[in-house]
Amino acid sequence: MNDILRVNNLAKRYPSFSLEGITLDLPAGYIMGLIGENGAGKTTLIRTILGMVQADEGTVELLGRPVDKEVLSQVGVVFDQSHLVEEWKVAEAEKALMAFYPQWDRETFRRCLERFAISPGKKVKELSRGMQTKLSLSMALSHRARLLILDEPTSGLDPASRDELMELLADYILDGEKSVLFSTHITADLERGADFITYLHRGQLLYTGPKEELMESFCLVRGEKEAFVPRVKERVIGLRRYGSGYEGLLRAEDVGLLPPSIQRERVTIDQIMVFVGKEELA
C-alpha cells in the first residue's frame, strides 16, 4: 500500500505539554480516526503535520515527500472553526482561495454548495456554525486534494449532517487514491466510517492501527462484586463500582481469568477512552 501520510517519531515540546514519539502511517484509500481526551495532543499533531508549528524531533512525509508548499496544495484542511473573513460572500471566498490552488475545480465547488444548500450570495457571518463547517469542507474538496485533514469537523453538526458527512468521506476515498485524517470526540462516527484509529493520551501514542483490532483487544466486563476476585480486579482497567457490582475494561488475552458469572460485552471506542482515563486518574 502507498502511504499518503507517514509520521515517524514526532515530538513537539512546550513548557506545559509535550507530544512524544508519535509514529503512524495512513495508506491511500482509507480513513483514519484521531482520538484522545481534551489536551491529548490531537490539534498539536495536526498543526505539526501541516508545518504550522515546527517539530522538535521526527519527520513527516506527505505523498512520499517532506512537507513543502507544493505538497500542501494537495491537502484539504477543515478546522473546528471557520478562518474565512466573515464579511465575504461565499462566492468571494471562492475567488480568494482559487489564487492559492492551481487545481481548483469550480464545478466541484458548485456541486458541494448545492449538496449542502449553501447560497453563493450568503455572507460567511450569516451562516450557522454547522453551515460554515460545510462551506470549509466544500472548499477542501474543491482543489483535488489527495489528503483531507479534519479537526473536529462534526462538533457543530446535527446527526443528519454528520451522517451526510460520513457518506461524503466514504465517496471521497472510493478511488483508492485519497485518504482522510479525521480528529473527533464523536467516536460513533469513527465506529461507522474509520478504517484505522490513532489514539493519543496525554501526548503519548497509545495505539495506531486497524480500528477492529483496537476494539477486539478489549472487552467490557460486568458482574457482582463477589465474582471480582483479586486476580481479576488487578487486571481490570478503570474498575468502577455500580450498584452491587463492578465493571471495567479487560484486555482480550485476560478473558480466560474470568469466572462464568462475569458478563463480557463488545466494547465501544468511547468506553475504551472512558476506562483508560479512569485508570490514569486512579
Side-chain angles (χ1 to χ4, degrees):
M1 290 187 289
N2 295 323
D3 288 328
I4 292 282
L5 171 64
R6 184 171 276 178
V7 177
N8 184 49
N9 200 34
L10 194 72
K12 177 62 186 175
R13 302 182 184 98
Y14 295 101
S16 60
F17 172 80
S18 64
L19 194 67
E20 296 286 350
I22 308 301
T23 296
L24 64 90
D25 298 317
L26 175 54
Y30 293 92
I31 297 174
M32 175 178 281
L34 179 60
I35 64 171
E37 74 282 359
N38 289 331
K42 302 186 297 298
T43 297
T44 297
L45 175 58
I46 286 173
R47 290 180 178 273
T48 309
I49 287 171
L50 293 171
M52 298 171 70
V53 296
Q54 186 174 358
D56 293 311
E57 290 179 14
T59 59
V60 176
E61 290 184 1
L62 291 171
L63 307 176
R65 52 188 285 188
V67 178
D68 58 23
K69 184 177 179 180
E70 183 179 346
V71 77
L72 283 174
S73 71
Q74 299 182 66
V75 179
V77 183
V78 178
F79 289 111
D80 61 340
Q81 294 185 342
S82 172
H83 295 279
L84 298 171
V85 177
E86 290 193 341
E87 292 296 329
W88 278 347
K89 293 181 179 179
V90 170
E92 292 171 334
E94 181 192 14
K95 288 181 181 178
L97 286 181
M98 284 173 61
F100 295 97
Y101 296 105
Q103 297 195 76
W104 186 270
D105 188 332
R106 300 200 72 177
E107 179 60 21
T108 297
F109 186 64
R110 184 191 65 79
R111 289 199 305 268
C112 285
L113 294 187
E114 287 184 355
R115 179 170 187 167
F116 293 135
I118 300 172
S119 168
K122 279 267 192 181
K123 288 187 176 182
V124 172
K125 70 178 182 181
E126 295 172 337
L127 301 174
S128 67
R129 182 178 177 186
M131 293 301 281
Q132 287 186 17
T133 297
K134 291 179 180 181
L135 175 57
S136 296
L137 183 61
S138 299
M139 291 175 164
L141 291 167
S142 297
H143 58 89
R144 300 177 185 174
R146 294 276 309 281
L147 172 65
L148 282 185
I149 296 181
L150 312 178
D151 189 9
E152 300 290 347
T154 58
S155 59
L157 300 182
D158 57 61
S161 295
R162 285 177 21 229
D163 188 70
E164 184 179 20
L165 171 62
M166 297 311 297
E167 287 182 1
L168 190 151
L169 295 181
D171 291 343
Y172 171 77
I173 63 168
L174 266 180
D175 64 3
E177 297 295 324
K178 308 182 195 77
S179 296
V180 178
L181 179 64
F182 183 6
S183 166
T184 183
H185 283 103
I186 306 176
T187 57
D189 294 335
L190 300 180
E191 289 181 14
R192 173 189 166 188
D195 305 291
F196 296 92
I197 295 291
T198 291
Y199 182 8
L200 302 183
H201 182 61
R202 297 187 179 182
Q204 304 292 318
L205 179 66
L206 290 194
Y207 176 84
T208 186
K211 175 189 65 182
E212 287 303 318
E213 286 188 14
L214 172 64
M215 297 177 70
E216 291 172 2
S217 64
F218 297 98
C219 66
L220 182 68
V221 294
R222 184 181 289 127
E224 298 296 318
K225 64 179 183 180
E226 292 79 10
F228 281 81
V229 295
R231 74 174 188 279
V232 173
K233 287 178 69 173
E234 68 185 13
R235 300 295 185 98
V236 177
I237 299 167
L239 184 71
R240 69 181 181 187
R241 184 79 176 264
Y242 80 99
S244 61
Y246 290 110
E247 65 178 3
L249 201 65
L250 191 70
R251 295 188 182 278
E253 61 264 28
D254 292 329
V255 167
L257 297 173
L258 297 179
S261 57
I262 293 182
Q263 302 173 29
R264 302 149 219 191
E265 301 173 15
R266 179 175 170 82
V267 74
T268 65
I269 296 174
D270 247 2
Q271 288 168 332
I272 292 173
M273 293 177 64
V274 166
F275 284 104
V276 168
K278 283 185 175 295
E279 185 77 5
E280 290 290 323
L281 291 172

